Every structure is written in C-alpha cells, then in structure tokens.
Amino acid sequence: DARVTQTPRHKVTEMGQEVTMRCQPILGHNTVFWYRQTMMQGLELLAYFRNRAPLDDSGMPKDRFSAEMPDATLATLKIQPSEPRDSAVYFCASGKDRTHNEQFFGPGTRLTVL
Amino acid sequence: GENVEQHPSTLSVQEGDSAVIKCTYSDSASNYFPWYKQELGKGPQLIIDIRSNVGEKKDQRIAVTLNKTAKHFSLHITETQPEDSAVYFCAASGGNYQLIWGAGTKLIIKP
C-alpha cells in the first residue's frame, strides 16, 4: 500500500555536522510538506512544495536549513551546521493537488544533535 | 494570520466513557477543519474532517461539530477504547495548501 517513506529513521550527530533527511512522497502526490515536532512547539511547518516548486519556507531558519525537491520522487531537508536545538522529529507529508488535500505523513526522522 | 488553540492539553477518561476535545480558530475565512491522530512513534493520520458548509459529521464512534459563528470545532469520541490512546491534533485551513495546527491533546484511556 502507498506510503510516504523517510530515511534515516534515526540520526545521532555532533554539533556542527551536516545532516540530510530524505523523503519519498506517495506516487502521484504533488504537494510535499516538511514539519518539525518537539514537545515544546508541537508541529511546526518548515517548508512546502507544489509540483517541486517551493511555495513557502518562511518557517525554516534560512541560515542553516535548506529544502529541495531534485525530482518528483525525492524531497530533501538539509541542516548545515547542525545545533543541539535542532534535535526533534522531522516529518515529511505528501498530498494531491486540490484544495483541502489530506496530508499523508511519513514515519519521521528522529534527530539528536549532541 | 490564522491561529488555532486546542484544549485540553491532556485528557484522561475511563474506558467506555466519552472524550471531547475542543479547538478555536481566529480566521473567519477558514473553511476546512481536519483532525489527526498520532500514535506513539508514528506520524499523524487523518481520522475525520469537516468543511464549513456542514455542522456535524460522524464516522462510527467519532464525530466532529463545527460552529462557524463562534469559530470553534470539537472532536467527540464515544465508547472509548484502549486503542484510542494517542495525541490528537486539530487544524484549520483557509483554502491554500497549508494547515494551521493546534498544539495537540494527549488522550489517555484508563482501563
């Protein structure tokens, strides 16, 4: 059955290192969302794409975060350099191109920055 | 911009009892209100949604009500079961692709 996949599922890294998280949206979906979830902040939208074009990345710290969609089957979220405050679970979600589309979430990447 | 408030942050109910979670929103232009359930270690999953032209929607043991005048909507779970234990999120959308999320409610079902 169709699912959003994310890799890696867990990542432990040291402060200052580069982190890349990957997401494969459901085939046929053309909207992709990146969220960050922490205990304190709940679900924060970092960026979203439609037809691979970034529509909004205002929730993302621009100095260290970047999001891209090299092709329709891959979305990436990169942090460089990483900091301890980036420790969180990062979710990718995808949806179809119509108003009020359901967002299908992946299992998340749990990032720990030491 | 839109703001969504969700209450309570934690709700503990006896198995078999009903649970109600409430959300309020600020943007009167919002017209789509989904509810997501997040189980431990998983991503959120849509369980029910409602659009602004409908006041209530039911799906088995869950129901959602919407009061556009007061700008609030609620999730009702009847005959709660252990598998209902999870974090529930409400959200609101005004017609673009973006959802504005509530802070979440941790629902605990006591045996």
Side-chain angles (χ1 to χ4, degrees):
Chain A
D1 78 306
R3 297 183 186 188
V4 174
T5 58
Q6 289 187 247
T7 56
R9 293 293 313 276
H10 303 273
K11 176 73 177 179
V12 179
T13 190
E14 293 190 347
M15 183 173 63
Q17 296 298 305
E18 177 179 302
V19 175
T20 298
M21 290 169 271
R22 293 177 175 81
C23 166
Q24 181 172 6
I26 293 172
L27 189 64
H29 285 187
N30 64 338
T31 56
V32 173
F33 305 80
W34 281 105
Y35 291 94
R36 176 168 62 185
Q37 186 173 43
T38 62
M39 291 297 292
M40 299 301 294
Q41 296 292 330
L43 275 169
E44 297 175 78
L45 179 66
L46 298 176
Y48 73 97
F49 295 77
R50 176 176 177 266
N51 294 331
R52 296 174 55 200
L55 289 191
D56 187 352
D57 60 1
S58 59
M60 201 163 63
K62 299 292 191 303
D63 55 339
R64 299 182 300 108
F65 284 60
S66 61
E68 296 180 344
M69 280 201 74
D71 61 61
T73 64
L74 177 64
T76 63
L77 179 66
K78 190 174 294 186
I79 308 174
Q80 167 63 20
S82 57
E83 297 181 1
R85 59 180 168 153
D86 301 329
S87 296
V89 180
Y90 291 81
F91 287 104
C92 172
S94 71
K96 290 184 181 179
D97 184 9
R98 64 175 187 271
T99 305
H100 307 325
N101 52 333
E102 176 179 355
Q103 294 184 19
F104 293 80
F105 282 75
T109 294
R110 180 174 293 278
L111 173 65
T112 303
V113 183
L114 303 174
Chain B
E2 173 70 284
N3 182 52
V4 176
E5 294 191 359
Q6 183 171 348
H7 300 280
S9 56
T10 304
L11 177 61
S12 183
V13 302
Q14 205 70 39
E15 183 179 347
D17 288 350
S18 295
V20 181
I21 303 170
K22 299 181 179 181
C23 288
T24 60
Y25 61 98
S26 60
D27 188 351
S28 56
S30 292
N31 54 11
Y32 174 64
F33 308 91
W35 286 88
Y36 282 73
K37 175 183 181 182
Q38 185 177 23
E39 297 176 340
L40 199 61
K42 298 183 178 180
Q45 183 177 13
L46 179 71
I47 54 171
I48 195 168
D49 57 14
I50 192 168
R51 302 179 193 280
S52 62
N53 58 342
V54 176
E56 182 175 0
K57 184 176 178 181
K58 272 186 165 181
D59 183 3
Q60 299 181 343
R61 295 186 298 107
I62 60 172
V64 57
T65 58
L66 172 65
N67 183 328
K68 285 221 76 180
T69 303
K71 289 192 277 189
H72 65 69
F73 56 112
S74 301
L75 177 71
H76 304 252
I77 306 174
T78 59
E79 300 173 17
T80 53
Q81 300 170 4
E83 54 264 35
D84 296 328
S85 292
V87 177
Y88 292 81
F89 291 95
C90 64
S93 172
N96 60 14
Y97 301 96
Q98 189 172 344
L99 292 175
I100 307 301
W101 297 83
T105 296
K106 183 176 182 179
L107 177 62
I108 300 166
I109 309 299
K110 297 180 290 185

